[in-house]
């Protein structure tokens, strides 16, 4: 079985993910609350200002080709919550500030959907993807994610994940979790269990880094360099904006499997 991932562009702010590919962190269950990581603060603020909005949702489609055991994939998705504390994390407010709580468990479940409902229409599938990505996630209740397995044929499935940007973005999902999911499926055949991974300690390390002497020197350097801002651009096309909230523009492009394989082959030869 092979897996191919395709990030879905959603109406959400563009942001760089805060992560460290070389970190190997200890498993953490912390019923007490801790401060937000710096990169989480803006998304927390958005969730407080617009609690019924899906602007911070991130949608991802992982295509699965080959024979598939639905029960094994249910177990694999469930184990995400056991291994990655991001899926057991919820958020609340205390003393006017956002706080993080890592729970002992969260029910990360895999929903099933018959792809026949789309009647072979890509447009109908994309419409459903948009609707699914726009359903809000409650930041007060873990997990801040939804997983759906769409069966188009016995050997063709799509794993659809909707994640809140407070815990993960689509790019990180595609870089980290597909291998975890495949390994967890193989675990059903008796392979050794996967070691748990955590995020809480990394967030604490990041907060320490932001207050370190090197970080303070860096901020002072750029404050001095940017003390005099550059002159504003004279945009001849500028105009008065409407008094409404917008989530930005987007452009979708769907690529065929052969095009994606060709792009990967070209990238590997140019690397």
């Amino acid at each position: 079985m092979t897996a191919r991932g395709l990030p879905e562009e959603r109406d959400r702010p563009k942001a760089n993910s805060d992560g460290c590919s070389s970190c190997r962190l200890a498993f953490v269950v912390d019923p007490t609350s801790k401060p937000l990581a710096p990169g989480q603060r803006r998304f927390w603020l958005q969730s407080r200002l617009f609690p019924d909005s899906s602007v911070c949702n991130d949608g991802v489609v992982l295509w699965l080709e080959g024979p598939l055991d639905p029960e094994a994939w249910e177990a694999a998705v469930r184990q995400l919550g056991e291994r990655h504390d991001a899926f057991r994390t919820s958020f609340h407010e205390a003393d006017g500030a956002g706080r993080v709580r890592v729970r002992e468990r969260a029910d990360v479940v895999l929903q099933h959907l018959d792809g026949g409902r789309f009647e072979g229409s890509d447009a109908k599938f994309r419409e459903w993807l948009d609707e699914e990505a726009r359903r809000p996630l409650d930041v007060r209740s873990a997990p801040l994610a939804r997983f759906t397995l769409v069966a188009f044929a016995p050997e063709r499935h799509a794993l659809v994940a909707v994640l809140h940007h407070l815990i993960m973005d689509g790019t990180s999902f595609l870089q980290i979790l597909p291998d975890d999911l495949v390994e967890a499926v193989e675990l059903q055949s008796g392979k050794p269990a996967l070691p748990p991974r955590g995020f809480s300690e990394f967030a604490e390390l990041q907060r320490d880094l932001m207050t370190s002497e090197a970080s303070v020197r860096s901020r002072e350097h750029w404050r001095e360099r940017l003390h005099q801002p550059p002159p504003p651009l004279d945009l001849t096309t500028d105009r008065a904006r409407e008094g409404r909230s917008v989530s930005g523009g987007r452009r979708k492009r769907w690529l065929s499997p052969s095009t994606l394989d060709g792009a990967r082959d070209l990238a590997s030869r140019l690397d």
Side-chain angles (χ1 to χ4, degrees):
M1 180 177 61
T2 59
R4 294 179 288 105
L6 176 65
E8 289 295 318
E9 291 297 329
R10 298 293 171 219
D11 292 340
R12 58 174 174 81
K14 301 296 182 183
N16 293 326
S17 59
D18 300 313
C20 176
S21 60
S22 62
C23 292
R24 291 295 180 266
L25 304 174
F27 179 68
V28 175
V29 175
D30 189 355
T32 63
S33 62
K34 293 184 177 181
L36 299 174
Q40 293 174 316
R41 293 172 186 165
R42 59 187 179 275
F43 299 117
W44 164 255
L45 178 60
Q46 287 176 316
S47 71
R48 295 294 294 159
L49 293 175
F50 310 104
D52 297 325
S53 172
S54 60
V55 69
C56 293
N57 286 8
D58 216 341
V60 175
V61 179
L62 186 67
W63 291 98
L64 307 171
E65 298 177 348
L68 183 146
D69 181 353
E71 293 185 359
W73 278 85
E74 286 180 7
V77 168
R78 186 167 56 250
Q79 288 175 18
L80 288 180
E82 299 172 1
R83 189 182 193 201
H84 296 275
D85 64 1
F87 293 104
R88 293 180 280 108
T89 298
S90 60
F91 300 82
H92 66 282
E93 183 173 334
D95 298 327
R99 305 284 295 183
V100 179
R101 178 178 289 118
V102 179
R103 302 179 182 277
E104 183 175 357
R105 59 168 297 168
D107 294 327
V108 185
V109 299
L110 179 64
Q111 304 292 332
H112 295 271
L113 189 67
D114 183 1
R117 64 179 292 178
F118 305 117
E119 302 174 344
S121 170
D122 286 344
K124 291 184 178 180
F125 179 51
R126 296 172 193 171
E127 181 180 358
W128 175 82
L129 285 175
D130 279 337
E131 294 175 354
E132 180 66 11
R134 292 176 187 276
R135 284 203 295 130
L137 291 161
D138 185 357
V139 302
R140 299 167 300 179
S141 178
L144 273 66
R146 291 192 298 268
F147 294 90
T148 306
L149 185 66
V150 185
F152 291 96
E155 296 191 2
R156 180 171 174 77
H157 296 74
L159 179 63
V160 179
V162 178
L163 316 160
H164 199 288
H165 222 96
L166 272 167
I167 64 166
M168 188 173 294
D169 59 49
T171 301
S172 298
F173 179 95
L174 290 174
Q175 290 177 343
I176 299 172
L177 297 187
D179 288 343
D180 279 9
L181 285 167
V182 172
E183 290 176 16
V185 170
E186 294 175 345
L187 178 64
Q188 311 306 312
S189 62
K191 290 192 174 184
L194 299 172
R197 292 179 179 175
F199 178 79
S200 299
E201 287 189 354
F202 170 74
E204 188 170 351
L205 290 172
Q206 189 182 51
R207 289 192 296 270
D208 291 342
L209 176 63
M210 294 292 290
T211 58
S212 67
E213 183 179 348
S215 181
V216 171
R217 288 199 307 267
S218 177
R219 287 196 295 272
E220 291 176 349
H221 167 79
W222 287 110
R223 285 194 183 104
E224 182 178 349
R225 290 290 302 272
L226 301 176
H227 178 67
Q228 294 294 335
L233 296 176
D234 184 14
L235 301 177
T236 57
T237 58
D238 208 4
R239 64 192 187 283
R241 265 52 176 186
E242 299 179 19
R244 61 186 180 89
S245 174
V246 296
S247 54
R250 62 175 175 170
R251 182 177 181 182
K252 288 185 179 181
R253 185 182 297 273
W254 288 73
L255 302 177
S256 65
S258 60
T259 301
L260 287 173
D261 292 340
R264 293 191 183 98
D265 179 65
L266 177 62
S268 66
R269 288 188 279 112
L270 295 177
D271 187 6

